[in-house]
Amino acid sequence: MTSHTGRKVTANLSLTLDGRYNGPGGPHDFEAFAPYVTSEVARDHMTRIWEGATTALLGRINAEGFMGYWPPITEDDNADPRDRGYAKWLVGTEKVVFSTTLDKAPWERTRVVNAPVADVVAELKAIGEGDILVNSSSSLIKPLLAADLLDRLYLMIFPEIAGGGQRLFDDGLPTSTWRLTHQETGELGEMAMVYDRVR
């Protein structure tokens, strides 16, 4: 029997009003998100997601994008302090990258796995401490929702209807109840919400 350390599995993602995490142009279409991601509420929310986390889970595409963008921010004196805080955390924390094409990680403190995310999460929950954050990677969040393994959802909702693109909440998920534990609304109508799974 696997022992558990009490580590929470958390996930963050930004969605449009119609539930999309990208636009109709495909996985790299974030046009609807652009006006909101650097707002005060969004930056405070970004700090909230990583403060208790000691492990980041990333899909390969996100890992490549994040590790290309964030490391220089750690040394940028002109960057917003919240951006620098996140960048330093991301570079310094343990990272697990899910990939079927990489055989070794080009980043420090990173291991590459080619295994079901639910299995990897079960292993991580049995050791260590701190939250396990699924960092904006829908390809990992979806199977964890399907397996009912997420304990907390950090969601940003942007007041845009994308009209197309991929949705986070697919039909057929197991029923579940969530408690709203934090809510904040920004000047542009963007909303930061934290939901904890009620078990």
Side-chain angles (χ1 to χ4, degrees), residues 52-71:
T54 55
T55 304
L57 305 189
L58 295 150
R60 178 189 59 81
I61 292 170
N62 266 15
E64 289 175 346
F66 285 13
M67 298 311 290
Y69 177 81
W70 286 105

